[in-house]
Amino acid sequence: MFIKYQERKEETMKVGYLGPEESFSGEVAVSIFKEEDLIPFSSFELTEALKNSIVQKAVLPIENSLEGPINWVLDLLVNNNQFFIQDEIIWLIEQNLIGFGKISEIKTIYSNPQALAQCAQFLNRLKVKTENTDSTSAAVQLVAKKKNSEIAAIGSKRAAKLYKIPIIKEGINDTPQNWTRFIILGEEQRDITGQDKTSLVFEVENRPGSLCEVLEEFARENINMTMIISRPSKRQLGEYIFF
């Protein structure tokens, strides 16, 4: 696990994260902001909390090594100009099969679409039905409520511990190199150190070569790009914003 975070403040502040408490975002938030007032939100609620300055910081997943970017977070960054990316955390994600029965009894497995995709090979071998939930923790909560040996959830060890459900099988993701990049948003920009990773959002004119002209500037200045993503502008078909 690699954690890079430097900023700490004496006063207590409200920190929002993609909840509920037992989510992977909750794990990351607790590991960094131990003394602060941590508040779990749904994706919509967290967007609103940032817009209305209910929280001073937020912990958000932005990219997974297996499934790529998390689009609603990218869209949030475009539409929220009072918060800045202050730092990042690279977190190793381990998905686990959680339930009350034996693996041979399971007929349906619940989890969010990303977690199910990260465990596709394992699920194909089991040949069971899958159902989507809003989050991995919502799936674990559902299993805890039903206490049925024919259903199981894919989620974190933290969720299994909090809901007191056995882990049937650990580490079921298709590859052990399952990393998620989390970003920390805050109201202040970080000081420039000269050893920084910088995120940009921009648009270009819709004509041949316009994106190439922007990218040539990075090459000319010997700046390495770690990622480029396009997202619809949501104003007009064929119009894109670049990250």
Side-chain angles (χ1 to χ4, degrees), residues 55-164:
V55 295
Q56 288 76 55
K57 291 186 184 292
V59 179
L60 294 167
I62 193 170
E63 180 190 14
N64 177 261
S65 61
L66 302 184
E67 292 302 305
I70 297 165
N71 290 330
W72 75 266
V73 177
L74 296 178
D75 293 340
L76 183 152
L77 293 175
V78 170
N79 297 310
N80 192 314
N81 57 14
Q82 73 259 38
F83 279 80
F84 303 92
I85 298 176
Q86 293 186 333
D87 224 317
E88 68 174 13
I89 300 166
I90 312 300
W91 197 263
L92 182 61
I93 302 294
E94 183 184 72
Q95 302 290 6
N96 306 277
L97 186 64
I98 300 166
F100 292 101
K102 296 178 181 178
I103 199 165
S104 58
E105 298 177 290
I106 298 169
K107 294 182 179 178
T108 306
I109 294 177
Y110 294 86
S111 202
N112 76 333
Q114 273 220 337
L116 293 172
Q118 291 167 15
C119 306
Q121 294 175 23
F122 174 81
L123 294 172
N124 287 339
R125 289 195 298 271
L126 281 189
K127 294 182 172 58
V128 296
K129 182 181 176 185
T130 60
E131 294 285 350
N132 291 341
T133 56
D134 289 339
S135 64
T136 55
S137 42
V140 177
Q141 190 174 14
L142 184 150
V143 170
K145 185 177 180 181
K146 293 193 173 184
K147 290 186 171 63
N148 185 334
S149 64
E150 294 186 349
I151 66 172
I154 292 175
S156 68
K157 289 180 181 177
R158 177 179 169 83
K161 183 178 180 181
L162 285 171
Y163 285 104
K164 299 178 181 177

